[in-house]
Amino acid sequence: MTHIAENKRIGVIGGAQADRASLEAAARVGRLIAEAEAVLVCGGLGGVMEAAARGAKAAGGLTVGILPGSSPSDANPFIDVPIATGLGYTRNSLVAMNADALIAIDGEYGTLSEIAYGIILGKKVIGLATWGIRGIVPADSPEEAVRLALQPESPSQGGRDGKSSR
Amino acid sequence: MTHIAENKRIGVIGGAQADRASLEAAARVGRLIAEAEAVLVCGGLGGVMEAAARGAKAAGGLTVGILPGSSPSDANPFIDVPIATGLGYTRNSLVAMNADALIAIDGEYGTLSEIAYGIILGKKVIGLATWGIRGIVPADSPEEAVRLALQPESPSQGGRDGKSSR
Amino acid sequence: MTHIAENKRIGVIGGAQADRASLEAAARVGRLIAEAEAVLVCGGLGGVMEAAARGAKAAGGLTVGILPGSSPSDANPFIDVPIATGLGYTRNSLVAMNADALIAIDGEYGTLSEIAYGIILGKKVIGLATWGIRGIVPADSPEEAVRLALQPESPSQGGRDGKSSR
Amino acid sequence: MTHIAENKRIGVIGGAQADRASLEAAARVGRLIAEAEAVLVCGGLGGVMEAAARGAKAAGGLTVGILPGSSPSDANPFIDVPIATGLGYTRNSLVAMNADALIAIDGEYGTLSEIAYGIILGKKVIGLATWGIRGIVPADSPEEAVRLALQPESPSQGGRDGKSSR
């Protein structure tokens, strides 16, 4: 695990509660991220975050959880590096900031704020059965989502033009 | 100006760039907020934020600007109480946190993050020609937007169910 | 109260618990700040913060409280403009950021962090019976503290040299 | 590297500029932290932070850098897990929050704010040639500092009484 810092970092965002299909997709996404030797970044709690981290650990990956609370022990058991922030929901921007690309799975308004921050920060945001916001690149499967997330950003794909996105 | 702290606080959110119609709507919204003796809270910069603050000051209101940068002097000239945060876009949650209700006018992804935070925090979010997100209460005019914003929240109107909102 | 934004802003920092002498000094400092038509900025809670705000309101001043919690109603009753942050103790830097000069009265480690941020940000930090840190300008009375706080910064007085300050 | 999350995390805080002796002490501290299989947490930038991370990597440790800026690439080359925050100096509280104990080496006011946060949060703060603040446990050598940092907290050692600390 030399040069961890040079590995890609993929954020997985989604709700703390999610249905079975979303959790399975998240676990598959996490596994594929780890198999690609990318680092998984997430919000560190339950639901989609935990399923993705579980998947990544099953494949021997490294997982980072950026937590809303002030105690690192709030993290789910599959997080290697918990980062306590004490910022509450305000930490959502930090999840987006620490990923090269984001994969949104299901999710509600917290996920929506992370999608918005991802696009503000010029990150590619891939969507799996999540909000239908313009600016999100839709994917049909975990495989496609991770493939898109790992793809180098094409130069013409700006993150912020946005105007037509409402 | 006794008991300022007991006055309602209405947040106006929207883009730093906006077209003429949006700016006029924002100025009108700001004026109506001030006429209702509510405090205007916004992000303190240009575009919709400045137009709303200008409208509020024209009617003698009090204006608060919660700024992304670390210098209070970044505020537009119509802000009475600039609050520097040094948090960058991460300050968007603080705008939502400091309003009893939010009026979104136009806007892009920064506005979208503020809408999301407003709904997460259980605030009523009223929309004027902005994102078509479920959870936003649409309004057709500045008058209707401010009327809705000042209306006491009805008990049945939860902020977080959200699930059907994608 | 036109042009509030152009008035000086003086931060008063100190503990949420304090002895009678400190509270009396804080109230006097608050009153003198208001009499000088400066805005009082503080952490919005009890003890020194509340005493200073009470003093400022007794003289008709404007008071801003930058709160650790996410509810504006956490503010003491003498705060005109409560700013909820939801940042916990992390909000201490924002208190320093929003003052042209700081007056520290008594206080423990939270106050110490605010003193440190004040000096980092190049603000004059005046001390009344508080930490004996180099970099703090000591004052012997509320009158002297407020006079020093309102004095224009002399050009030779750098905020960050610091090295000899331990 | 199983169970990283269960390893102790030791924060090393100190200035971005430091003299040779401090840098050597920091590198030694970093190495000893890694040899004890603890994770090094720091602010991710230069000076003491970089020397400590360099020492930890030389012994095969894991290093986390909690950065003030919004780009993970701001981290020094010895950081495995850079965490961008975009919070500026406000991130100092997060460094303290993510360590079980802190070792302060040299440093100026930024370090002082981290010491204050460490004590507020009830963490043991060990000092090597740094601020002479009551509440810091002084150490005479890197070896003693790391030994003290790894020692279980004794129950009688409260973090916040503080009152006698000025």
Side-chain angles (χ1 to χ4, degrees):
Chain A
M1 217 189 268
T2 46
H3 303 305
I4 303 171
E6 286 165 26
N7 293 7
K8 270 225 165 190
R9 303 204 294 179
I10 307 299
V12 176
I13 57 181
Q17 274 93 38
D19 58 24
R20 177 183 296 263
S22 296
L23 296 177
E24 283 175 7
R28 181 87 186 123
V29 161
R31 172 177 277 279
L32 293 165
I33 288 171
E35 286 175 359
E37 302 199 346
V39 173
L40 172 76
V41 174
C42 70
L45 298 179
V48 162
M49 300 171 263
E50 178 164 344
R54 181 166 45 80
K57 290 312 296 174
L62 184 75
T63 57
V64 175
I66 300 179
L67 296 158
S70 54
S71 171
S73 63
D74 294 342
N76 72 59
F78 306 102
I79 296 297
D80 293 317
V81 184
I83 303 292
T85 67
L87 303 176
Y89 284 109
T90 299
R91 73 81 158 80
N92 290 2
S93 60
L94 273 65
V95 175
M97 210 178 277
N98 284 286
D100 297 305
L102 293 162
I103 298 173
I105 302 172
D106 192 74
E108 302 190 14
Y109 294 97
T111 305
L112 181 60
S113 72
E114 292 169 324
I115 291 169
Y117 277 120
I119 298 175
I120 288 170
L121 296 168
K123 312 294 174 87
K124 193 192 283 186
V125 180
I126 294 122
L128 263 177
T130 188
W131 291 86
I133 296 293
R134 191 178 289 228
I136 297 180
V137 181
D140 288 329
S141 67
E143 286 70 19
E144 188 185 7
V146 175
R147 188 178 54 72
L148 286 166
L150 293 169
Q151 216 171 50
E153 187 85 4
S154 70
S156 66
Q157 193 171 36
R160 298 185 202 212
D161 63 326
K163 201 61 195 181
S164 58
S165 304
R166 277 162 297 144
Chain B
M1 219 189 267
T2 45
H3 302 306
I4 302 171
E6 287 165 25
N7 293 4
K8 272 227 164 188
R9 303 203 294 178
I10 306 299
V12 176
I13 56 181
Q17 274 93 38
D19 59 24
R20 176 183 296 262
S22 296
L23 296 177
E24 282 176 7
R28 180 87 185 125
V29 161
R31 171 178 278 278
L32 292 165
I33 288 170
E35 286 175 0
E37 302 199 347
V39 173
L40 172 75
V41 174
C42 69
L45 299 179
V48 161
M49 299 172 263
E50 178 164 342
R54 181 166 45 79
K57 289 312 295 175
L62 185 76
T63 57
V64 175
I66 300 179
L67 296 159
S70 55
S71 171
S73 62
D74 293 343
N76 73 57
F78 305 102
I79 296 299
D80 292 317
V81 184
I83 304 292
T85 68
L87 303 174
Y89 284 109
T90 299
R91 73 78 158 82
N92 290 3
S93 61
L94 274 63
V95 175
M97 210 178 279
N98 284 286
D100 297 304
L102 293 162
I103 299 174
I105 303 172
D106 193 75
E108 303 189 14
Y109 294 98
T111 305
L112 181 60
S113 73
E114 292 168 323
I115 290 169
Y117 277 119
I119 298 174
I120 289 170
L121 296 169
K123 311 294 174 88
K124 193 191 284 184
V125 180
I126 294 122
L128 262 179
T130 187
W131 290 86
I133 296 294
R134 192 179 286 229
I136 297 180
V137 181
D140 287 328
S141 66
E143 284 71 18
E144 189 186 7
V146 175
R147 187 177 56 72
L148 287 166
L150 293 169
Q151 217 169 49
E153 187 86 4
S154 71
S156 66
Q157 192 172 37
R160 299 183 202 211
D161 63 327
K163 200 63 196 181
S164 58
S165 306
R166 278 162 297 146
Chain C
M1 216 189 269
T2 45
H3 302 305
I4 303 172
E6 286 166 25
N7 293 7
K8 271 226 167 190
R9 303 203 294 178
I10 307 299
V12 176
I13 57 181
Q17 274 92 38
D19 59 24
R20 178 184 295 261
S22 295
L23 296 177
E24 281 175 8
R28 180 89 184 123
V29 160
R31 172 177 277 278
L32 292 165
I33 288 170
E35 286 175 0
E37 301 198 347
V39 173
L40 172 76
V41 173
C42 69
L45 298 179
V48 161
M49 300 172 261
E50 179 164 341
R54 181 167 44 79
K57 289 312 296 175
L62 185 76
T63 58
V64 175
I66 300 180
L67 296 159
S70 55
S71 171
S73 62
D74 294 343
N76 72 58
F78 305 103
I79 296 298
D80 293 318
V81 184
I83 303 293
T85 68
L87 303 175
Y89 283 110
T90 299
R91 74 80 158 79
N92 290 2
S93 61
L94 274 63
V95 175
M97 210 178 278
N98 284 287
D100 297 305
L102 292 162
I103 298 173
I105 302 172
D106 192 74
E108 303 188 15
Y109 294 98
T111 304
L112 181 59
S113 72
E114 293 168 323
I115 290 169
Y117 277 120
I119 298 175
I120 289 170
L121 296 169
K123 311 294 173 89
K124 192 192 285 184
V125 180
I126 294 122
L128 262 178
T130 188
W131 290 86
I133 296 294
R134 193 178 285 229
I136 296 180
V137 181
D140 288 328
S141 67
E143 285 70 19
E144 189 186 8
V146 175
R147 188 179 54 73
L148 287 166
L150 293 168
Q151 218 170 48
E153 187 84 5
S154 70
S156 65
Q157 192 172 39
R160 299 182 203 212
D161 63 325
K163 200 63 196 180
S164 57
S165 305
R166 278 164 297 143
Chain D
M1 217 188 269
T2 45
H3 303 302
I4 303 171
E6 286 165 25
N7 293 6
K8 270 226 166 189
R9 303 203 294 178
I10 307 298
V12 177
I13 56 181
Q17 274 94 38
D19 58 25
R20 177 183 296 262
S22 296
L23 296 177
E24 282 174 8
R28 181 89 185 121
V29 161
R31 171 178 279 277
L32 293 165
I33 288 171
E35 286 174 0
E37 302 200 346
V39 173
L40 171 76
V41 174
C42 69
L45 298 179
V48 162
M49 300 171 263
E50 179 164 342
R54 180 166 45 79
K57 289 312 296 174
L62 185 75
T63 58
V64 175
I66 300 180
L67 297 158
S70 54
S71 171
S73 62
D74 294 343
N76 72 57
F78 306 102
I79 296 298
D80 292 318
V81 183
I83 303 292
T85 68
L87 303 176
Y89 284 109
T90 299
R91 74 82 158 79
N92 290 3
S93 61
L94 272 65
V95 175
M97 211 178 279
N98 284 287
D100 297 305
L102 293 162
I103 300 174
I105 302 172
D106 192 75
E108 303 190 13
Y109 294 97
T111 305
L112 181 60
S113 72
E114 292 169 324
I115 291 169
Y117 277 119
I119 298 174
I120 289 170
L121 296 168
K123 312 294 173 86
K124 192 191 286 185
V125 180
I126 295 121
L128 263 178
T130 187
W131 290 87
I133 295 294
R134 191 178 286 230
I136 297 180
V137 181
D140 287 328
S141 66
E143 285 71 18
E144 189 186 7
V146 175
R147 187 179 54 74
L148 287 166
L150 293 169
Q151 218 169 48
E153 187 85 7
S154 70
S156 66
Q157 193 171 37
R160 300 182 201 211
D161 63 327
K163 201 64 196 179
S164 58
S165 305
R166 275 163 297 141

